[in-house]
Amino acid sequence: MKLCTYIDGGRERVGAIVGNDVIDMPFPDMKTLIQAGIPKAPSGPKRPLSSVKLAPPIRPATMLCSGSNYRDHNKEKANTPISGKEPEFFVKTADCVIGPEATIVYDEKLTKKLDAETELAVVIGKPGRHIPVERALEHVFGYTIVNDVTARDRQVRRNDQGFTWYELGRSKCFETSGPTGPWIVTADEIGDPQRLRLRTRINGELRQSSSTGNMIWSCAHLVHFFSANMTLQPGTIIITGTPGGTAWSTDPELGGKWVGGDGSEELVPAKGYLKPGDVIECELEKIGILRNTVGPA
């Protein structure tokens, strides 16, 4: 089932998407629906999906994030000593989250090297702490898409000896850096989350294409990993990393090296970082397309 949050009369409402229509659901917000479990087939008045404005499907207080989780992405960028050896743990807050078709702000005072990263996002349905890998997917309600918008010139730091490290606070957690949506697809419709095709198009150019099977740490492993730190609650989102093809890969100043993804499809190398007017389409098989436009501050 596809579940969305949409704007109606200035208020956010929860709906199920059936075909090209939205059917209102009797829940005050998406977190309440998730806590109740996957709902039965909805019934009630329909409205065309094209007639509603979608909001982020859910607004998690904290988004748990894992970086350096695709082998081809690690090959294209300047790496730290732990890159690819353990999940990189950082967070985005609710202040970062925007919905589909919302504007990603290009703020030159923050960054001149704004980049996009399409990521599969795991939505937790059942609470748990110290969750075993083999039971982890039992705690998943569904999946959505997150664009991990990144300020690369804030992220990559180097000292005079050539040591590289990442500043994952200012580079990852800022207003509009977490576009999310367009909806949540329940886990029963996704099946194996490691068998999905991921793509990014910017102004129609294919920049990223990979399988989620190319993750170093699977969705199940990441649920296990993050549950060691905190009890994962219904509505928690975990984002799972991005593959090769980022604009970073064409930036030798920051240690970028063009690799060309995993070789499954021919990619178009970026000619630069994001600018106002750029349209980003983040696509995940079985979920859909999250579309946002970059705009001035």
Side-chain angles (χ1 to χ4, degrees), residues 113-263:
K113 294 189 175 185
L114 192 69
D115 207 356
E117 297 187 358
T118 298
E119 307 203 9
L120 175 65
V122 177
V123 183
I124 297 298
K126 186 171 73 171
R129 182 84 194 276
H130 298 295
I131 301 169
V133 174
E134 60 272 15
R135 304 295 299 273
L137 295 186
E138 298 174 16
H139 291 258
V140 175
F141 176 83
Y143 300 87
T144 187
I145 305 169
V146 169
N147 183 352
D148 178 17
V149 179
T150 304
R152 296 296 185 202
D153 42 0
R154 297 284 187 183
Q155 177 179 5
V156 184
R157 309 296 297 275
R158 285 172 162 169
N159 64 14
D160 293 339
Q161 290 74 44
F163 180 82
T164 299
W165 74 97
Y166 300 153
E167 185 181 338
L168 294 174
R170 299 190 74 188
S171 69
K172 294 282 192 177
C173 187
F174 52 92
E175 289 183 3
T176 74
S177 69
T180 302
W183 37 67
I184 295 170
V185 179
T186 52
D188 58 309
E189 292 200 6
I190 295 295
D192 184 353
Q194 308 308 144
R195 296 173 61 90
L196 304 176
R197 175 59 48 178
L198 175 156
R199 294 182 177 91
T200 305
R201 292 181 177 85
I202 297 179
N203 301 327
E205 295 181 346
L206 184 64
R207 299 285 182 82
Q208 292 182 290
S209 177
S210 188
S211 166
T212 54
N214 291 327
M215 290 182 191
I216 299 171
W217 294 281
S218 68
C219 294
H221 190 103
L222 292 176
V223 170
H224 160 75
F225 171 78
F226 286 111
S227 74
N229 284 67
M230 61 195 72
T231 301
L232 302 183
Q233 299 289 350
T236 298
I237 283 183
I238 297 172
I239 66 174
T240 58
T242 203
T246 63
W248 188 0
S249 69
T250 62
D251 183 359
E253 183 178 71
L254 294 184
K257 302 174 290 291
W258 173 251
V259 174
D262 68 353

